[in-house]
Amino acid sequence: LDGLTTLSFSAWIKPTSSSSSIILSIQDTIGYEQLQIFRHSAGYLVGKIYGGSQGRLAWTQSPNIAPLNVWTHIAFTVDLSQALGSRGKLYINGSDATSSDSTNQATINTSGGGIFIGKRNVISDSYFDGLIDEVAIWNTALTSTQVAEIYNGTSTNLTKDLTTVSGSNLIYWNRMGE
């Protein structure tokens, strides 16, 4: 993932506790977070790209959009080539829920680091409280149409085959035991 200027993350989450907890953390080789998505205790979701002194890309959302004990689809897209204020989006159940976006970040720097689902690497008490399913990462920024296709693409209670999302470049997909 190092040096990417576009990235998308998608998952189904079912929080079971009102405590703040990590959904996804991507870190560099020395353990510094470069990308983080978490559920705040008030029920809203936050997605951030960190760049140390380079700035950050951050989104915060309205309360109660990721309610307890309910499956919620989330998608987080980044396109750092876009104009300031238009570089990132957070989708909830197929709809754009972005409330803020600010960055001077040029790339996502994860050289040699790790991807952590449901926890942070460096902090032992930030596990996700709940269930996570259908985790996927693309090295492209999904469009609103593609996100809606993923959210709406179920049949017989199974999630859409993410390898068939038109025009995307899926690089990681974990069906989490299916």
Side-chain angles (χ1 to χ4, degrees):
L1 300 177
D2 193 41
L4 289 179
T5 59
T6 58
L7 175 77
S8 296
F9 167 81
S10 170
W12 287 88
I13 64 169
K14 184 178 182 182
T16 57
S17 167
S18 60
S19 63
S20 294
S21 54
I22 300 294
I23 298 168
L24 176 77
S25 175
I26 299 176
Q27 298 171 348
D28 63 18
T29 54
I30 55 176
Y32 291 119
E33 283 189 321
Q34 298 299 306
L35 184 141
Q36 177 191 95
I37 303 168
F38 68 93
R39 181 187 182 279
H40 189 274
S41 59
Y44 61 82
L45 298 175
V46 178
K48 295 182 178 179
I49 289 182
Y50 296 92
S53 63
Q54 301 298 312
R56 70 171 192 232
L57 177 58
W59 304 265
T60 56
Q61 308 307 309
S62 301
N64 301 316
I65 60 171
L68 294 179
N69 302 309
V70 175
W71 281 106
T72 301
H73 181 259
I74 62 171
F76 179 82
T77 67
V78 177
D79 186 346
L80 298 175
S81 69
Q82 295 298 310
L84 290 176
S86 302
R87 293 183 171 183
K89 294 190 181 300
L90 185 57
Y91 295 87
I92 308 299
N93 292 331
S95 298
D96 186 349
T98 307
S99 65
S100 66
D101 168 11
S102 61
T103 189
N104 60 0
Q105 190 69 10
T107 62
I108 301 166
N109 301 309
T110 61
S111 181
I115 297 173
F116 299 89
I117 299 167
K119 73 175 288 288
R120 282 179 161 162
N121 180 37
V122 295
I123 300 175
S124 62
D125 64 346
S126 30
Y127 291 97
F128 181 72
D129 291 323
L131 303 172
I132 301 175
D133 197 14
E134 300 296 328
V135 175
I137 299 173
W138 292 262
N139 65 2
T140 55
L142 296 176
T143 65
S144 59
T145 301
Q146 290 168 319
V147 171
E149 180 183 343
I150 294 166
Y151 173 68
N152 293 316
T154 60
S155 63
T156 62
N157 296 322
L158 295 175
T159 303
K160 178 176 181 53
D161 179 352
L162 298 182
T163 63
T164 66
V165 177
S166 61
S168 71
N169 192 12
L170 184 65
I171 59 172
Y172 175 83
W173 183 22
N174 190 329
R175 300 208 68 180
M176 309 303 276
E178 289 183 16

